[in-house]
């Protein structure tokens, strides 16, 4: 007779979970030591950047239920800025260029998003821009 109390307290790892664990162990334990510069520059960095964009878009459209039309544009501004920082400042670390690209993309996001949502009109009390907009719902 098998009763619920006979089962062990620790959950068993499924075959899919085991495969994911092996893939993560290879990704973190082997790839950094055997990958060449080409793999880092041409394959892993774009893969990670596009994965980050996909996760952000999934959070926005899936969980929040919002349609995003500007995600690709802001990602393009950040990618262009990161490329220019790497090109114009030789020896700049990758993480520093990504951080600088995020700071460079912020003003473009503000210039495009605030007029669309009527934020500028409410902050500056500008009489030319109407306070009601597509985003505010008024």
């Amino acid at each position: 007779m098998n009763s619920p109390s006979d089962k062990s307290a620790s959950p068993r790892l499924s075959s899919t979970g085991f495969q994911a664990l092996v893939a993560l162990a290879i990704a973190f334990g082997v790839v950094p030591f055997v990958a060449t510069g080409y793999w880092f520059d041409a394959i892993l960095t774009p893969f990670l950047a596009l994965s980050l964009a996909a996760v952000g878009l999934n959070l926005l459209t899936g969980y929040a239920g919002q349609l995003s039309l500007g995600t690709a544009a802001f990602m393009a501004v950040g990618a262009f800025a990161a490329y220019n920082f790497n090109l114009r400042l030789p020896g700049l670390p990758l993480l520093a260029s990504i951080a600088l690209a995020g700071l460079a993309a912020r003003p473009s996001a503000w210039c495009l998003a605030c007029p669309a949502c009527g934020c500028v009109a409410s902050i500056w009390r500008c009489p030319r821009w109407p306070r009601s907009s597509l985003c505010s719902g008024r």
Side-chain angles (χ1 to χ4, degrees), residues 113-119 130-138:
C114 282
C117 293
C119 299
R131 299 188 119 213
S132 64
S133 68
L134 187 65
C135 297
S136 65
R138 289 188 246 155

Side-chain angles (χ1 to χ4, degrees), residues 5-55:
S5 62
D6 291 341
K7 294 184 179 181
S8 64
S10 63
R12 299 194 73 177
L13 190 62
S14 67
S15 63
T16 307
F18 180 73
Q19 291 170 353
L21 191 61
V22 168
L24 283 175
I26 290 171
F28 287 112
V30 176
V31 172
F33 299 110
V34 295
T36 62
Y38 170 77
W39 270 88
F40 285 118
D41 292 339
I43 295 175
L44 292 177
T45 302
F47 173 77
L48 292 174
L50 293 173
S51 298
L52 184 65
V55 167

